[in-house]
Amino acid sequence: MDKTPHVVVRELTHVYDVSGVSLIALDKVDLEVARGSFLSVIGPSGAGKTTLLKVLGGLIDHTSGTVEIDGTAPEGARRRNRIGFVFQDPALLPWRTVTDNVALPLEIANGQGHGPDTVEGHLRAVGLAAFGSYYPHQLSGGMKQRAAFARALASAPALLLLDEPLGSLDEITRTHMRFELLRLWEGTGRTVVLVTHSVPEAVMMSDEVAVMSSGPGRILRNIPIEMPRPRDDAMEGSSIFAEHVLKVRESLALEGHRGPTATGAGSPA
Amino acid sequence: MTRSPRSTRTEARLGSIIRPAAGRLLLPALVLGLIVTIWEVWTRLADVPVYIVPAPSAVGSRLLGEPAFFAGHAASTLSVAIGGWALGSAVAILYAAIMSQSQLLERALYPLALLVKVVPVLVWAVLFVVWFGFGPTPKVLIAALITFFPVLVNTLAGLRAANAEYLDLFRSLNASRAQVFWKLRAPGSLPYLFAAFRIAIPLAVIGAFVAEYFTGDRGIGSIISVAHSNLDMPTVFSAVLVLAIMGIALTALTSYLERRILFWHDSFR
Ligand SMILES: Nc1ncnc2c1ncn2[C@@H]1O[C@H](COP(=O)(O)OP(=O)(O)OP(=O)(O)O)[C@@H](O)[C@H]1O
Ligand SMILES: [Mg+2]
């Protein structure tokens, strides 16, 4: 296995220009994500989590510092289709069937002509095999998000960037889908960066949790999660899980006390 | 998701409350029947001269006495209206597609479209007759001109309406400009286009009518022009009735197509 980290971020600073006023969204962020590992980013609203993910995915150019994905700039990794995104909003095209939505990345990459077999495989993996001909408005919220995952997997990305993908779901579906996602990911060797607001979710899913502070956005602490894999819902009652949750909560609370005194980049979008 | 104006949604909701087709037709039919009865009784009791307001029975016997006459003229009005609508829409959609490519193009091309709009239709009518004579050409052009602006404005709004999540998705998939246009913006603008058609189709009928009224030897407009100067009110009223039926039928057809094509849109769920 390759020992170099998949993602290396050094002194990453991102400044938004809001009608002439500079807003520091990320301030000298350092981060490493090991190949094939699962990292969660947690932090208050406006901490710059989405901004960080967009920089990693090459959707926006950062202001200063270095960001390397597989040793190249994110833009380049994106162009080689090495990065898959899932956002909080499933963003399925309403005029396409589930199958055609999942096929979108292949269609965009190869012009037309996608392999229907590959698409079917991805649909089966997320439990939507019987729903390929449905339109998004005929699906539940959880099913839509599953379709969005199938779509992200369709381009076989080495790096998956997930921005609160379960955030719009109800508690029951959400908890259930945590483990579904883990089953999908385990053994694929893919690297995952997950943004979430849920401490139990971050702990249950990750190898490491990065706690961010806002105003301006920094990474406060990296907390390794030393729990065995595969993870399952039985672990939710374990003391090791509770300890980690507590640890993350403490780091977040620390940042909560600091919040008001920090300079004003923390206003929510 | 892209959304057309609210009203379509409210309409759909009202439609589902008064669901049964019989119920939907029964109420307007009752109201209409009542008005016609009062009108008939009034003209008889008050002895209203037929050259001022004809009784419904007089209009009915005029219309049914010579159905081929009215049908023939209606057909020519209809072909002018539809021809004008098709031409005006095609040019407007193309123009909007070009304008949507950049702010610069929009700034450069929009004033020209506005010029077409602010010059009174009557001025265009005079010019078209001077340039193209009294054949069908100037009439089709007038109907096209009236259709042009609403379709242009709505299509442009629709092409620009793609929201940030979808644009991020397409960017993360490395889509080209052309792919973003054809796979995202163009289908996303369809609800806006249909909203424009709801306005433009009745306008095209009015445009065709006005053109025939002033320059025509054929069509509903010319019938009214001639009958009016002869104080032949039953013919005037019959022609108006035919025009109204035409407008309603075209609007119903548009709604039907809209429901079929935009089944995925919020307003039809
Ligand atoms: N496009 C933009 N232009 C200007 N400022 C922006 C833009 N996007 C985000 N910001 C600002 O940058 C800061 C960080 O935003 P970001 O969306 O990254 O936060 P977040 O941690 O994802 O928050 P949340 O948890 O609420 O999603 C906020 O103060 C926000 O106002
Ligand atoms: Mg965010």
Side-chain angles (χ1 to χ4, degrees), chain A residues 44-51 88 163-164 195 197 269:
Chain A
S45 190
K49 304 181 294 294
T50 297
T51 306
Q88 178 170 2
D163 193 353
E164 298 181 48
V195 167
H197 275 127

Side-chain angles (χ1 to χ4, degrees), chain B residues 213-232:
Chain B
Y213 188 90
F214 288 106
T215 70
D217 51 356
R218 211 187 291 174
I220 300 294
S222 73
I223 295 183
I224 291 189
S225 174
V226 171
H228 173 235
S229 52
N230 295 338
L231 289 183
D232 178 3

Side-chain angles (χ1 to χ4, degrees), chain B residues 76-93:
Chain B
S76 86
T77 304
L78 194 65
S79 57
V80 167
I82 290 181
W85 163 77
L87 179 67
S89 298
V91 175
I93 291 167

Side-chain angles (χ1 to χ4, degrees), chain A residues 104-128:
Chain A
L104 185 72
L106 304 169
E107 214 178 291
I108 284 177
N110 328 323
Q112 288 297 317
H114 54 82
D117 304 343
T118 8
V119 172
E120 207 173 296
H122 292 300
L123 283 179
R124 210 174 311 117
V126 297
L128 287 181

Side-chain angles (χ1 to χ4, degrees), chain A residues 70-118:
Chain A
D70 277 325
T72 63
E75 187 85 13
R78 203 193 75 210
R79 288 201 189 290
R80 282 179 280 119
N81 286 312
R82 306 300 291 154
I83 300 179
F85 257 103
V86 180
F87 311 94
Q88 178 170 2
D89 183 321
L92 300 173
L93 299 174
W95 52 83
R96 283 177 174 245
T97 61
V98 170
T99 298
D100 289 346
N101 264 293
V102 173
L104 185 72
L106 304 169
E107 214 178 291
I108 284 177
N110 328 323
Q112 288 297 317
H114 54 82
D117 304 343
T118 8

Side-chain angles (χ1 to χ4, degrees), chain B residues 116-134:
Chain B
V116 169
K117 165 75 180 166
V118 295
V119 173
V121 177
L122 220 59
V123 173
W124 286 114
V126 170
L127 288 175
F128 288 158
V129 169
V130 171
W131 294 337
F132 303 106
F134 282 88

